[in-house]
Structure formats: structure tokens, C-alpha cells
Amino acid sequence: MSVLVRPVTPADHSAVARLTVAAYEADGQLKGEHGYAAVLADVPARVEHGEVLVAVDAGTDAVLGSVLFVLPGTQYAELSGAGEAEFRMLAVDPAVQGRGVGAALVEACVARATELGCSALVICMRDGLAASAQRLYQRRGFTRAPELDWSPMAGVLLRGLRLSLPA
């Protein structure tokens, strides 16, 4: 399977909504949540306030995964400071996890942040996130940034990670 990353189109919205919720559910990230699945499924709102990228099968154009890339000061930005970028809501269809789709989306975000001249790319990872996701970020060079840790609600800890980018 060859993966291509491109900007989302309106025709992709329903597939992105479905696979994002499915990926978060499969990873156990929606247990006890109140309303986050609706936020994940609201692709038009994400498009309005950031860049939604999709990973598609290069042969069939089937949507395999998606990610939201944002800059500081925008509605979905949680961690990024001046000169930084961040990505959120990285999701890969559970049926194709482990095939490089997540890595392709991360690389697209690194490339976009580099293109914009950002000094770093930051993300937060839910405590207890699947080991495969943790390895993906570690392999790419993201390091723990405890000063970025935060909790959006009781019982949910989000751990900050940072990737310094070349000047």
C-alpha cells in the first residue's frame, strides 16, 4: 500500500469523521469522555481553524488517516508558543494501523512546520496511549517536554512532547 498525504477535501469529511472517532475508540481514548467524540467528528470546524491533512491510499484515494496541523493562537492550539506549530487529533483507521500511515502524517506535519520556518513542533499524548504511537513519536525524535503537560479534565493527563526543527 502506497500512502499519499494531501489536504482534506469536503468529499473526505465523512470518512475523516468516522475514522477519527473509530481510532480514538479503538485506542480506549473515549472512555468516560463527554462530548469529545463530537469534537473529533466535526471536520468542518477543524478545517476552519487549521489545516486538516489526510493520508490516502495512492491507488484508490481511500482515506486511511488524518491529522490537524495548527499554529499558536488558533482555536485548536493547546501547546504551541511563538514560532512553534503543533498537531492534534492524529488518527489512523484501525484496519490499517501499523502500516506507516501515522508516520506519513507526522512527516507531513514536520514538513509543513519546517516550510513555515517554525522552531519546533509540539504535541500532547494522552497518558497510557498505545505503545505503538509512543514509539512513532520517539523514533521521529520527539522528546518529553514536561512543562507542556496538562489535564483537560479530571483523570485525563496529556503529556507534552517537542521536536526541535532546524533553523
Side-chain angles (χ1 to χ4, degrees):
M1 171 177 63
S2 181
V3 177
L4 170 72
V5 177
R6 62 167 172 75
V8 72
T9 67
D12 302 321
H13 286 195
S14 63
V16 169
R18 178 195 53 76
L19 81 82
T20 304
V21 172
Y24 274 65
E25 283 176 341
D27 208 24
Q29 294 189 63
L30 293 180
K31 290 180 181 155
E33 298 288 331
H34 302 285
Y36 196 51
V39 172
L40 294 172
D42 191 352
V43 180
R46 286 194 263 160
V47 168
E48 186 177 334
H49 298 285
E51 296 179 43
V52 177
L53 302 174
V54 291
V56 298
D57 182 305
T60 65
D61 205 41
V63 177
L64 307 172
S66 70
V67 67
L68 173 63
F69 178 90
V70 296
L71 296 173
T74 58
Q75 179 173 323
Y76 288 93
E78 295 173 331
L79 307 174
S80 53
E84 297 178 331
E86 70 183 274
F87 66 82
R88 298 190 50 209
M89 302 180 193
L90 177 74
V92 175
D93 188 319
V96 297
Q97 288 180 358
R99 297 187 191 170
V101 175
L105 289 164
V106 170
E107 286 307 317
C109 289
V110 170
R112 185 69 178 123
T114 301
E115 175 186 327
L116 293 172
C118 297
S119 61
L121 184 59
V122 295
I123 59 172
C124 59
M125 180 174 66
R126 187 166 180 166
D127 202 27
L129 187 65
S132 58
Q134 293 180 39
R135 283 192 304 275
L136 167 66
Y137 300 137
Q138 289 170 346
R139 275 195 313 267
R140 187 52 187 88
F142 283 86
T143 56
R144 281 281 293 121
E147 70 278 9
L148 298 177
D149 291 0
W150 69 290
S151 178
M153 62 190 295
V156 175
L157 176 61
L158 300 175
R159 298 187 183 278
L161 302 173
R162 173 179 278 114
L163 174 68
S164 294
L165 300 172

